[in-house]
Amino acid sequence: MASEVDICNIALSNLGEKPIVDRADENQRARACDNRFDDVRDLVLRSHIWNCALKRAKPKSSSTPAWGYDYGFDLPSDFLRLVAVKENEYNFKIEGTQIVTDSSELNILYIFRQKVTSNYDSLLVQAIALRLATESAQDITGKTELKQDLMNKFREVMSEA
């Protein structure tokens, strides 16, 4: 199972760079990986319905919207993307950090911020690594032409997923 550092090293390998030992290493490669890892992880997680990042919840109504809907439900703190709202015949909308609806109950399926890399599918590992390589290519190598090739590889992995 891949760790965050393993994923960073796959990204660095795609850039033709030496591996790192830790995201906190004192070198440009580690800083570039550390600066972008969390954002890239979240971007890739929300870009596909990864089984390892699915979660079900029954949020509680926390407020009444000023107008238009009867109930407001707070999104879970680890929420990245709504996949489905079940057993709800009412319209709903995500507004800020809430789902607003006229339904008094809400059952949701969503993509959550899965931080446990040992739970990642092998395609997810590759997708995060390739997107991380794409996003940090210029900072690490100074070569802008790598970005397009890496983005194409990323798209191939995503289409396979």
Side-chain angles (χ1 to χ4, degrees):
M1 297 296 157
S3 68
E4 289 181 2
V5 171
D6 293 332
I7 294 169
C8 289
N9 284 331
I10 295 168
L12 291 168
S13 174
N14 276 282
L15 294 172
E17 295 289 323
K18 295 178 187 173
I20 61 173
V21 175
D22 192 281
R23 281 177 55 184
D25 285 354
E26 289 296 321
N27 60 58
Q28 182 187 13
R29 299 180 320 279
R31 280 191 295 278
C33 287
D34 190 53
N35 286 341
R36 296 307 312 269
F37 188 89
D38 293 344
D39 290 340
V40 168
R41 177 203 59 221
D42 290 356
L43 179 149
V44 174
L45 282 171
R46 76 180 316 273
S47 68
H48 180 73
I49 301 173
W50 301 99
N51 291 337
C52 66
L54 283 174
K55 194 183 277 189
R56 297 171 189 272
K58 292 182 92 150
K60 302 287 184 220
S61 177
S62 62
S63 66
T64 302
W67 58 272
Y69 293 96
D70 293 332
Y71 301 94
F73 296 87
D74 289 335
L75 293 170
S77 61
D78 60 357
F79 177 91
L80 290 176
R81 174 183 168 193
L82 185 64
V83 175
V85 174
K86 296 293 181 187
E87 303 160 11
N88 187 349
E89 61 193 55
Y90 297 97
N91 289 331
F92 64 90
K93 186 183 258 187
I94 295 177
E95 294 180 351
T97 60
Q98 286 194 318
I99 298 176
V100 292
T101 182
D102 288 329
S103 177
S104 61
E105 240 184 53
L106 199 62
N107 297 304
I108 64 172
L109 179 65
Y110 69 100
I111 298 292
F112 74 99
R113 184 174 290 106
Q114 173 61 277
K115 294 181 179 182
V116 181
T117 59
S118 61
N119 291 338
Y120 289 179
D121 175 277
S122 60
L123 285 174
L124 177 55
V125 168
Q126 291 301 314
I128 294 171
L130 284 166
R131 191 59 191 248
L132 184 59
T134 302
E135 297 297 324
S136 55
Q138 189 168 352
D139 291 344
I140 293 173
T141 68
K143 299 175 186 173
T144 56
E145 64 275 7
L146 276 176
K147 277 185 105 163
Q148 191 57 49
D149 289 340
L150 292 165
M151 186 55 92
N152 289 339
K153 283 184 175 181
F154 170 74
R155 287 186 184 119
E156 285 176 25
V157 168
M158 292 302 291
S159 70
E160 203 175 319

